[in-house]
Amino acid sequence: MKRYPFEYDHSRPFLQQVGEWVGDVFYEILPKADFEVRDEQIYMAFQLERAFAQRQTIFAEAGVGTGKTLVYLLYAICYARYTRKPAIIACADESLIEQLTKPEGDLAKLARHLGLMIDARLAKTADKYLCLTKLDQAIAADEHSDVYRAVYDELPGFVRQNKAMQSFHAYGDRKQYPHLNDHQWNRTSWDSFQDCFACQQRHRCGQTLSREYFRNSSELIICSHDFYMEHVWTYEGRKREGQLPLLPDHCAVVFDEGHLLESAAQKALTYRLKHSVFEQLISRLLQNEIRESLAVLIDEAIERSEMLFNTLTRHCEEILGSDRKRIILGKPLLEEVLLFSQVIEAIEEELVFESELYTLNDYQLRIVEEQLETIQKALSLFRNSDRLISWATEDKDGLTLVIMPRAVKEVLRERVFALNIPVVFSSATLSVNGSFDYIASSLGIDHYMSFSTKSPYDYRNQMEVLAPEWPLGASSEEKMKAAAGLLKRTEGRALILFNRKEELLRFKELLPSYPECRDLRFWFEGDAEISHLIGSFQRDEASILCALSLWEGLDVPGPTLSNVIIWSLPFPPQDPVFMAKREAAADPYDEVDLPYMLLRLQQGIGRLIRSREDRGIVAILSEEIHQDTKLRQAIEALLPQGVPLMRTMTRKPGN
């Protein structure tokens, strides 16, 4: 097989030749396969050629339908072959990953029409994999465990058998268990409190085997923003622990829907502390021959941890509509944090002596030391409340303290944007009032290239946007009647986007009361694995998909998606993360709430028109639009040119 899809001339710049080949692809090769010719793709290709040649960060803001995914894939594949290192394609969510990797997705199209053999492998976050330990616990704890026993019976033979000459392969991906709902999957999937280092099944774990597979990719590794940021955050720690980084050395990174990277970075840099997990970790040392002084400190640390979490319980308050609890910082809590930190520091000093005596297992000692260092970083951050966002969650095992840094730009600047590799941000929404400075500043990017191109679609004649008025203030009954009428108008074929889980569950509860919806088929996020639901929706043209997480990334061209119903304006939730952002803003509504909502709303509206042939309606079921003139004007401003915001449900003439 040829290394490049064109005849490479060593006397000429490589990327210049890539650009020429990409031009041939879009003007000659793909049109013969009935692809649309788009000048926006050629313009984007020219800009990416410059960014790859100069190894720069570039913001590629390209409207819906410009074909930006195909452009960055072609450059990433060629550059990976040139450097002999894989390129990373980091997507905002699973729906974007599915769009790339499904049998009829973008990678399959390129391979088929260009005659390419593309080595693209998936790298998923750990919570997308089955945990053998939790599966055993679910089977033992649940008297109705037939579902979990069926999962166990489907496991590869090498998981259950210990014999020589077995071949191992990756397994355990969430997609392999589409029938499990979210609750069932959470009972059996990995979570951040699983102690993989002490797990006797880790060498037969699907997550471990999957990592061995994708690390050997020669061209593309496709992952989520969350996974890439976890790689960045754990890179040094894993090296100290004698482990491989999550991702191999790579030549370039593409952040698809790159405007969402900051939240993924914050999530990856989050610390989670739990008393039961700490007790389990530190008690490992007591299983060794250690000095009495260290044993006393370990007992004191366990006691201090318990006292800290008891104090934390008294300093938490519920947040209406959120499973996160607000932490009320005060002197008693901060004193407990300091005392706990001091005993951890004393243990770290004692471990230095123990290591010199060689009484502890070296590998186990490194793991404990790394975990203690992480705890100390978290406690140090917690004592500087102006630099953190913190909250608590509660489950049957007690409270979890969650600590997230406010700003992530320093880490990103050092560990991502200083690597001297091409970094591409791709999205239809990256700039604010035509400027990319806001996103660049929030991510720690000092130097960058940028460009913007508009969508080629004729929205004036392809889309209508409705915002009906509500005599009774947008009650649940009014919204249900409006939705039923809209679904009847398009005979299903709809995506309903909810902003909160409670909204989706309430809709699901009320649905049987509306006979006009009785013969329609609904798919609900949470009832099965999300890509399985999307596939079912695409195959069943007249069905309706109800979702919380598909505001971005969902790409369903054709009549299957002729109706997008936005149940409420997607303002940010009342949780500690956005509370902290609001507290830091001079004008919380204008600086935090409104920009977030408008960006998410624009993405949601963008799910409707995905090709030149698409036609349909977007309905925004909101009371606020008609109460706030400024809000209505802001929403009207983000609509495609020539598309009005109509107050009635009346059909356009000719539609």
Side-chain angles (χ1 to χ4, degrees):
M1 183 183 74
K2 291 199 313 181
R3 184 173 174 185
Y4 305 118
F6 54 85
E7 294 298 329
Y8 176 42
D9 182 352
H10 291 268
S11 66
R12 298 175 57 216
F14 172 74
L15 286 165
Q16 180 183 341
Q17 296 177 69
V18 174
E20 293 169 355
W21 173 70
V22 170
D24 291 340
V25 167
F26 289 124
Y27 277 136
E28 297 180 16
I29 301 174
L30 292 183
K32 292 179 182 178
D34 296 327
F35 280 71
E36 295 179 17
V37 177
R38 297 168 181 167
D39 290 338
E40 294 86 359
Q41 288 178 314
I42 302 300
Y43 177 70
M44 179 176 176
F46 175 72
Q47 301 298 327
L48 288 195
E49 179 186 326
R50 292 171 53 222
F52 273 81
Q54 299 175 29
R55 290 184 285 189
Q56 287 278 326
T57 294
I58 185 168
F59 293 113
E61 185 176 57
V64 174
T66 53
K68 51 187 175 288
T69 303
L70 297 184
V71 179
Y72 73 60
L73 284 175
L74 292 176
Y75 274 90
I77 291 166
C78 290
Y79 199 64
R81 293 183 180 187
Y82 180 68
T83 60
R84 299 184 185 275
K85 296 178 183 178
I88 307 297
I89 311 295
C91 301
D93 54 39
E94 292 297 314
S95 61
L96 274 167
I97 293 175
E98 180 72 8
Q99 179 184 326
L100 286 174
T101 60
K102 62 187 178 183
E104 67 279 13
D106 293 326
L107 284 167
K109 291 176 184 176
L110 287 180
R112 182 168 64 254
H113 295 297
L114 302 181
L116 293 175
M117 295 288 292
I118 303 172
D119 183 12
R121 309 188 187 189
L122 286 176
K124 296 193 175 185
T125 51
D127 61 352
K128 299 298 182 185
Y129 288 97
L130 190 72
C131 173
L132 298 176
T133 299
K134 286 183 67 176
L135 177 60
D136 290 341
Q137 293 170 349
I139 292 173
D142 195 331
E143 60 182 19
H144 306 291
S145 60
D146 292 348
V147 171
Y148 306 119
R149 290 188 182 279
V151 171
Y152 180 84
D153 292 339
E154 293 173 8
L155 293 174
F158 60 76
V159 176
R160 303 187 297 268
Q161 302 168 1
N162 289 304
K163 60 182 182 181
M165 303 300 289
Q166 293 190 89
S167 62
F168 292 76
H169 58 82
Y171 72 96
D173 185 338
R174 173 69 171 106
K175 284 189 66 174
Q176 295 174 335
Y177 310 98
H179 56 285
L180 296 183
N181 62 36
D182 285 357
H183 172 73
Q184 291 166 336
W185 176 252
N186 291 335
R187 290 283 305 274
T188 57
S189 64
W190 183 91
D191 63 58
S192 59
F193 294 116
Q194 297 308 301
D195 190 354
C196 298
F197 300 117
C199 180
Q200 296 181 350
Q201 303 183 85
R202 65 181 182 273
H203 298 302
R204 299 170 185 270
C205 171
Q207 181 188 159
T208 301
L209 296 171
S210 296
R211 287 178 181 172
E212 292 175 0
Y213 173 71
F214 69 68
R215 282 183 181 128
N216 291 316
S217 174
S218 60
E219 292 180 359
L220 300 180
I221 298 177
I222 300 169
C223 64
S224 65
H225 290 179
D226 290 348
F227 188 85
Y228 188 82
M229 295 316 305
E230 185 182 353
H231 157 75
V232 170
W233 182 233
T234 62
Y235 183 84
E236 294 296 336
R238 292 182 68 88
K239 285 174 64 178
R240 285 195 298 269
E241 294 169 2
Q243 301 183 83
L244 290 172
L246 292 178
L247 290 168
D249 190 20
H250 44 276
C251 67
V253 185
V254 176
F255 294 114
D256 204 336
E257 299 296 354
H259 62 283
L260 299 174
L261 182 64
E262 183 183 13
S263 60
Q266 285 182 313
K267 181 179 176 182
L269 270 62
T270 295
Y271 300 92
R272 287 176 171 80
L273 305 182
K274 196 169 193 173
H275 169 68
S276 59
V277 175
F278 172 76
E279 183 175 14
Q280 184 180 21
L281 167 75
I282 203 70
S283 296
R284 283 193 205 167
L285 297 176
L286 295 174
Q287 300 170 8
N288 297 271
E289 293 292 332
I290 58 175
R291 290 172 299 123
E292 183 179 356
S293 57
L294 176 56
V296 170
L297 283 172
I298 290 171
D299 288 338
E300 183 182 349
I302 293 171
E303 182 180 347
R304 279 292 165 201
S305 172
E306 188 172 15
M307 293 175 68
L308 168 61
F309 278 88
N310 287 338
T311 304
L312 181 64
T313 301
R314 297 193 298 272
H315 285 74
C316 288
E317 63 180 25
E318 302 285 345
I319 301 174
L320 186 65
S322 174
D323 59 357
R324 296 174 174 179
K325 296 186 176 184
R326 188 206 310 263
I327 297 174
I328 309 301
L329 294 175
K331 186 176 179 181
L333 181 58
L334 293 175
E335 284 180 350
E336 288 297 338
V337 169
L338 178 60
L339 291 171
F340 184 46
S341 178
Q342 288 173 342
V343 73
I344 295 295
E345 184 178 355
I347 289 174
E348 289 177 315
E349 292 175 357
E350 288 287 330
L351 289 178
V352 174
F353 292 107
E354 292 289 348
S355 65
E356 293 173 352
L357 297 173
Y358 300 101
T359 56
L360 296 175
N361 175 275
D362 185 58
Y363 177 72
Q364 187 181 76
L365 178 62
R366 284 205 313 274
I367 299 303
V368 172
E369 286 178 330
E370 185 68 29
Q371 295 294 326
L372 292 180
E373 183 181 342
T374 298
I375 292 171
Q376 284 288 54
K377 287 178 181 177
L379 297 176
S380 174
L381 192 64
F382 192 76
R383 294 199 301 272
N384 293 277
S385 58
D386 59 325
R387 296 173 52 202
L388 66 83
I389 303 168
S390 63
W391 66 89
T393 60
E394 189 167 17
D395 59 22
K396 59 183 178 63
D397 296 324
L399 278 183
T400 297
L401 172 61
V402 185
I403 302 171
M404 171 189 287
R406 286 181 184 268
V408 296
K409 62 173 66 178
E410 292 82 4
V411 175
L412 291 172
R413 179 183 288 117
E414 176 186 348
R415 302 186 188 180
V416 179
F417 304 115
L419 297 180
N420 196 31
I421 61 174
V423 178
V424 179
F425 285 82
S426 173
S427 177
T429 50
L430 287 170
S431 63
V432 178
N433 296 324
S435 172
F436 297 90
D437 289 346
Y438 176 79
I439 186 172
S441 174
S442 65
L443 295 174
I445 301 172
D446 298 321
H447 306 286
Y448 63 87
M449 304 166 66
S450 65
F451 72 90
S452 296
T453 62
K454 294 183 178 180
S455 172
Y457 297 144
D458 180 14
Y459 287 103
R460 183 194 302 267
N461 294 308
Q462 291 182 258
M463 169 194 289
E464 58 179 301
V465 181
L466 315 175
E469 294 186 275
W470 309 98
L472 301 178
S475 65
S476 294
E477 183 178 352
E478 284 181 303
K479 285 190 175 186
M480 290 296 298
K481 286 182 177 179
L486 289 162
L487 295 175
K488 182 179 180 181
R489 175 174 165 181
T490 54
E491 298 177 331
R493 299 180 175 86
L495 168 69
I496 307 181
L497 290 171
F498 297 90
N499 192 36
R500 302 194 314 274
K501 187 175 181 180
E502 294 79 10
E503 292 177 341
L504 185 149
L505 294 177
R506 179 63 175 159
F507 176 86
K508 191 175 181 180
E509 178 187 342
L510 293 175
L511 196 57
S513 303
Y514 290 81
E516 54 265 60
C517 296
R518 203 161 288 160
D519 295 330
L520 296 174
R521 290 172 296 283
F522 289 84
W523 309 102
F524 292 94
E525 182 173 349
D527 285 355
E529 192 269 332
I530 189 65
S531 65
H532 176 75
L533 290 173
I534 293 171
S536 299
F537 173 61
Q538 288 179 297
R539 289 187 295 271
D540 187 354
E541 184 180 308
S543 64
I544 298 103
L545 178 58
C546 303
L548 289 162
S549 65
L550 297 179
W551 295 79
E552 295 103 356
L554 183 68
D555 184 27
V556 182
T560 298
L561 209 173
S562 301
N563 186 352
V564 174
I565 299 174
I566 295 170
W567 198 255
S568 63
L569 291 179
F571 281 104
Q574 292 296 326
D575 74 359
V577 175
F578 283 97
M579 287 178 178
K581 288 176 180 283
R582 294 181 186 106
E583 289 170 1
D587 187 334
Y589 181 77
D590 282 345
E591 295 177 29
V592 179
D593 291 354
L594 186 60
Y596 175 94
M597 185 279 292
L598 292 174
L599 181 61
R600 198 160 174 82
L601 179 63
Q602 189 174 11
Q603 289 284 345
I605 292 171
R607 298 314 98 208
L608 181 67
I609 305 300
R610 309 303 296 182
S611 75
R612 293 186 190 275
E613 289 73 36
D614 285 355
R615 299 289 187 276
I617 55 177
V618 173
I620 306 172
L621 308 186
S622 162
E623 180 184 18
E624 303 101 309
I625 291 177
H626 307 296
Q627 297 175 336
D628 186 336
T629 302
K630 179 181 175 182
L631 174 64
R632 180 182 177 88
Q633 290 173 344
I635 292 173
E636 288 175 330
L638 65 79
L639 296 179
Q641 188 173 3
V643 178
L645 185 64
M646 296 188 292
R647 294 173 180 263
T648 68
M649 305 285 280
T650 306
R651 184 191 302 261
K652 272 187 178 181
N655 284 356

